[in-house]
């Protein structure tokens, strides 16, 4: 009998402590934000020695690497050169050249994603080689890189 009484008392106490809780629903919102600044790397050709009497000498490539750009933006590269190699001993003696991408003269290109590249060559016509004086020739090529 004590067992039944203990069981009944335990059941009554359990029922007394069980209560259903009613609460209003509470929704909250928080923002998760970040900012990625535009970044990019551009490689340009290195100093190059033109092979004597070669009509086309590889000049390397312009390549956009590691690019994270804003939508609708691009990295623009322009090339500026005089188009003449000047004789180091007599600057009045010149050798005409063009920098090409494929068969066309290269002046600029726009890049929008990493891995885009433009291969360049230095072109000197056979007739220009034939007219050139002996000696060392040089010119400076300027690359301008902008983000637009």
């Amino acid at each position: 009998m004590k067992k039944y009484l203990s069981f009944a008392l335990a059941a009554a106490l359990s029922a007394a402590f069980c209560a259903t809780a009613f609460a209003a629903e509470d929704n909250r919102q928080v923002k998760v934000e970040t900012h990625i600044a535009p970044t990019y790397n551009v490689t340009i050709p290195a100093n190059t020695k033109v092979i004597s009497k070669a009509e086309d000498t590889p000049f390397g490539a312009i390549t956009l690497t590691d690019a994270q750009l804003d939508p609708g933006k691009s990295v623009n590269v322009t090339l500026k050169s005089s188009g003449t190699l000047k004789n180091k001993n007599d600057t009045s003696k010149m050798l005409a050249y063009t920098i090409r991408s494929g068969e066309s003269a290269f002046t600029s290109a726009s890049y929008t994603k990493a891995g885009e590249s433009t291969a360049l060559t230095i072109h000197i016509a056979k007739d220009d080689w034939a007219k050139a004086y002996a000696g060392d020739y040089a010119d400076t090529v300027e690359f301008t890189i902008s983000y637009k």
Side-chain angles (χ1 to χ4, degrees), residues 16-141:
F17 288 115
C18 289
T20 304
F22 295 99
E25 190 172 297
D26 187 13
N27 290 327
R28 298 193 184 197
Q29 296 178 348
V30 296
K31 285 186 180 181
V32 177
E33 298 180 297
T34 190
H35 175 75
I36 299 172
T39 60
Y40 56 89
N41 287 315
V42 176
T43 58
I44 60 172
N47 293 340
T48 300
K49 288 214 178 246
V50 175
I51 301 164
S52 182
K53 301 201 179 179
E55 287 190 69
D56 292 302
T57 300
F59 188 38
I62 300 168
T63 305
L64 178 65
T65 58
D66 302 326
Q68 286 187 290
L69 310 179
D70 290 315
K73 300 285 186 166
S74 63
V75 175
N76 302 305
V77 179
T78 58
L79 177 147
K80 187 170 111 180
S81 74
S82 69
T84 56
L85 296 164
K86 293 183 181 173
N87 187 299
K88 289 183 180 180
N89 292 326
D90 182 351
T91 57
S92 69
K93 309 299 184 216
M94 295 181 247
L95 178 59
Y97 74 97
T98 57
I99 296 176
R100 294 183 173 180
S101 171
E103 295 297 316
S104 304
F106 179 85
T107 55
S108 66
S110 294
Y111 305 97
T112 58
K113 62 184 175 190
E116 291 180 321
S117 184
T118 304
L120 301 174
T121 58
I122 298 172
H123 178 78
I124 301 175
K126 192 181 275 189
D127 290 343
D128 290 327
W129 279 115
K131 293 185 257 177
Y133 290 85
D136 293 324
Y137 289 78
D139 190 32
T140 300
V141 177

